[in-house]
Amino acid sequence: MHCVGEHVDQVEPERRGESRDKRLAILGGDPVTAKPWPRWPSSSPATQRALSEVLESQRWAINGPADGRPAFGALFEASFASYHGVAHCVAVTSGSAAIRIALQALGIGYGDAVLVPGLTWVACASAVLAAGAVPVFVDVEPATLCMSPEAARAALSPEVAAVLLVHAYCTTADLDAFSVLCREHHVALIEDCSQAHGALYRGRRVGSFGDVGVFSMQQTKVLTSGEGGAAITSSAGIADRMEQLRSDGRRQRPDARPGEESLEEVGAVQGYNACLSEFQAAILHERLGELDQANAIRERNARHLDACLADLGLGVPLRRSQHCERATYYKYCLRLHLDAFAGRPVENVCAALTAELGLVFSPIPGVRPDSKQSALQPVDGQARDVVDGAS
Ligand SMILES: *Cc1c(COP(=O)(O)O)cnc(C)c1O
């Protein structure tokens, strides 16, 4: 059983007053802490200045008229690529859009299958379907919640054209094993880093190992602009196709003069509009500068929480994969020992924790055979193609 808590940035014991009502908060008692948690999402005066700059400019969109200054979209793309040590980044409206442009730029679509983890956010499967390919669900490792390399190997077939490897919740996936598997079988590797911005594997940032690294910048992710996403790659060809897919077959014009449109028609690829607005790009560009520091605080607090929980016997934290040198804790997860809670269902334990701590705790939502996820509820022709390879 798993529980997920929102952004644990500080964990401190609370002083208890004499008059405290000691019943569980869910039964009407006083919660163990009433201390406010750090605000999320967080911003700074620099974020506000960047937003005002966009507001007062006449370029709110990627294709707004050039005004002699670099667009925030281009600034963010350059800084996010360099943060990962890769040459290219294409910013998009969501993590789902990032997965879709990555697959399409790799030439993956009708007739192809893509391995996705059996426990992950539904968008991993629905984005594969949106690209015209079929998601094949693969079991995850219970201890890390990342896709199992052995199960992935067993799920390979001639139709499998890519692995969408998610670095899940509190760790990075086994990149050594998946790099070998994908190379041996001539299958593309797409790293989904939507839960692992800034995580390190063998000293390198995740997202830079696969053919493409994809990110969501939706509100719950550790780097966010409310909604948003990005795809990174070292390949100029893949980047060019992803850029055109993202912006209706157009490409940025570095030489646009003031007043001219910032994009030019190329038309080599039929795209659609998945462009990030300048407001979102401005937020991401500013917040990226604080990501490493915020991740270090989360990691320190998570390790402290791991140690406290080890003494209580109520559950075990997820295990880190070998070679994960910085975990980023999109959400703090633990596997509860439900017998320590008199066999109460996980939903009840989560509701009690939520009342006690003032943070939302929930079982992990996943694409599970017993779930109501739309990928598994065939409502149209697309969804009927879903293959369930998970046991
Ligand atoms: C959040 C998430 C996505 C989807 O991102 P959106 O921005 O909501 O489209 C995809 N994959 C994983 C692993 C995620 O956590």
Side-chain angles (χ1 to χ4, degrees):
M1 290 294 126
H2 321 284
C3 261
V4 183
E6 296 284 355
H7 300 281
V8 181
D9 283 338
Q10 274 177 8
V11 184
E12 278 177 27
E14 188 79 358
R15 286 226 181 83
R16 279 141 210 215
E18 281 310 308
S19 58
R20 188 173 172 271
D21 180 340
K22 295 217 168 67
R23 286 175 302 163
L24 292 177
I26 199 169
L27 301 176
D30 290 324
V32 294
T33 178
K35 217 176 86 182
W37 294 89
R39 245 175 85 135
W40 186 262
S42 56
S43 66
S44 70
T47 323
Q48 295 192 357
R49 279 196 299 277
L51 279 174
S52 305
E53 201 180 305
V54 179
L55 192 61
E56 283 154 26
S57 78
Q58 292 183 53
R59 179 162 52 188
W60 289 9
I62 188 170
N63 196 30
D67 59 8
R69 291 170 310 154
F72 277 107
L75 284 176
F76 169 68
E77 289 178 341
S79 56
F80 203 60
S82 111
Y83 177 78
H84 289 91
V86 299
H88 310 279
C89 169
V90 177
V92 284
T93 43
S94 66
S96 309
I99 297 171
R100 186 172 171 194
I101 62 166
L103 289 166
Q104 291 179 320
L106 288 163
I108 295 167
Y110 295 107
D112 295 320
V114 178
L115 302 188
V116 300
L119 184 79
T120 183
W121 182 235
V122 64
C124 296
S126 55
V128 170
L129 285 166
V134 175
V136 176
F137 297 116
V138 173
D139 278 342
V140 297
E141 310 249 21
T144 62
L145 299 187
C146 292
M147 195 193 286
S148 150
E150 292 77 34
R153 204 172 276 278
L156 286 172
S157 70
E159 287 74 41
V160 172
V163 175
L164 182 64
L165 185 63
V166 176
H167 302 294
Y169 297 101
C170 312
T171 185
T172 56
D174 187 347
L175 278 166
D176 282 7
F178 278 97
S179 301
V180 170
L181 182 142
C182 290
R183 210 171 34 242
E184 273 179 17
H185 294 273
H186 308 288
V187 164
L189 177 61
I190 301 174
E191 288 176 77
D192 186 339
C193 314
S194 298
Q195 306 183 356
H197 309 67
L200 291 173
Y201 183 89
R202 287 190 185 275
R204 236 168 90 188
R205 291 196 199 286
V206 299
S208 62
F209 290 81
D211 297 283
V212 181
V214 297
F215 298 80
S216 164
M217 277 74 160
Q218 185 271 340
Q219 159 137 9
T220 57
K221 317 294 163 131
V222 300
L223 178 66
T224 183
S225 49
E227 299 285 358
I232 61 171
T233 182
S234 299
S235 156
I238 294 172
D240 184 38
R241 287 194 291 282
M242 291 200 300
E243 182 180 4
Q244 290 186 56
L245 286 161
R246 178 278 306 268
S247 33
D248 288 311
R250 292 170 298 176
R251 194 189 273 153
Q252 306 248 27
R253 262 173 80 181
D255 59 347
R257 286 199 298 267
E260 287 180 346
E261 290 193 339
S262 308
L263 300 180
E264 64 185 352
E265 296 282 345
V266 184
V269 173
Q270 187 183 13
Y272 34 86
N273 182 3
C275 298
L276 205 61
S277 80
E278 279 288 283
F279 293 101
Q280 294 163 307
I283 295 175
L284 293 177
H285 183 58
E286 281 306 324
R287 302 314 294 157
L288 180 59
E290 292 182 27
L291 178 62
D292 282 344
Q293 199 197 349
N295 276 340
I297 294 171
R298 275 189 204 97
E299 185 166 55
R300 199 174 64 225
N301 287 339
R303 283 182 181 271
H304 178 59
L305 193 51
D306 287 353
C308 297
L309 285 164
D311 296 339
L312 291 175
L314 301 175
V316 284
L318 295 188
R319 207 189 64 215
R320 276 185 187 220
S321 305
Q322 210 191 353
H323 309 305
C324 170
E325 286 160 14
R326 156 132 306 154
T328 50
Y329 297 94
Y330 155 64
K331 304 223 168 169
Y332 184 90
C333 298
L334 70 150
R335 178 178 301 273
L336 293 175
H337 297 318
L338 285 183
D339 41 357
F341 296 91
R344 294 273 193 326
V346 66
E347 288 77 11
N348 293 25
V349 178
C350 288
L353 282 168
T354 300
E356 222 58 74
L357 295 172
L359 291 171
V360 177
F361 283 77
S362 62
I364 290 178
V367 182
R368 289 179 301 225
D370 63 341
S371 80
K372 295 194 172 59
Q373 293 285 6
S374 50
L376 294 162
Q377 299 285 316
V379 287
D380 60 23
Q382 278 190 327
R384 244 172 263 130
D385 292 337
V386 173
V387 175
D388 185 0
S391 59

